Amino acid sequence: HTHGMAHTHSISNHTHDIIYGIYEGTSPTNITIKINGTDRTSILGGGTGFNSDQSNLNITSYLSIGQWNTIELGSSRLGRLDATVFIQALMGV
């Protein structure tokens, strides 16, 4: 396939080994939350991005009932994100 824009890379060709492992270093910053493609960070109280641990963010009103929902977490810096989603399902059977 092709791309509709011309661009160049300033890094010369090189090779290196992959170094496997768990790295400790930076923490994620400016964490964003997108729900079904829409950035909900600000409305959830994070401004342009969260920079501390968060608990009990209620995203209920941004979910679509009866279909798949996508929750995307982003960060402006490399770091580990850990998220837990609690789901309450009510079935009318």
Side-chain angles (χ1 to χ4, degrees):
H1 70 276
T2 61
H3 297 279
M5 62 180 192
H7 65 279
T8 60
H9 297 277
S10 59
I11 300 173
S12 61
N13 290 335
H14 66 282
T15 61
H16 52 83
D17 293 330
I18 297 174
I19 302 171
Y20 297 96
I22 297 173
Y23 299 92
E24 294 182 12
T26 62
S27 296
T29 56
N30 299 318
I31 298 165
T32 57
I33 302 171
K34 288 185 181 178
I35 302 170
N36 296 324
T38 302
D39 190 335
R40 301 293 185 182
T41 309
S42 180
I43 202 159
L44 290 169
T48 59
F50 290 101
N51 288 298
S52 63
D53 291 348
Q54 300 297 308
S55 296
N56 300 318
L57 295 176
N58 188 346
I59 62 170
T60 305
S61 60
Y62 310 112
L63 300 175
S64 299
I65 297 172
Q67 67 184 44
W68 286 101
N69 289 274
T70 303
I71 301 168
E72 178 183 342
L73 303 176
S75 174
S76 63
R77 182 170 70 184
L78 181 64
R80 181 179 178 161
L81 293 172
D82 184 17
T84 303
V85 177
F86 293 97
I87 299 171
Q88 180 180 14
L90 304 173
M91 300 174 62
V93 288

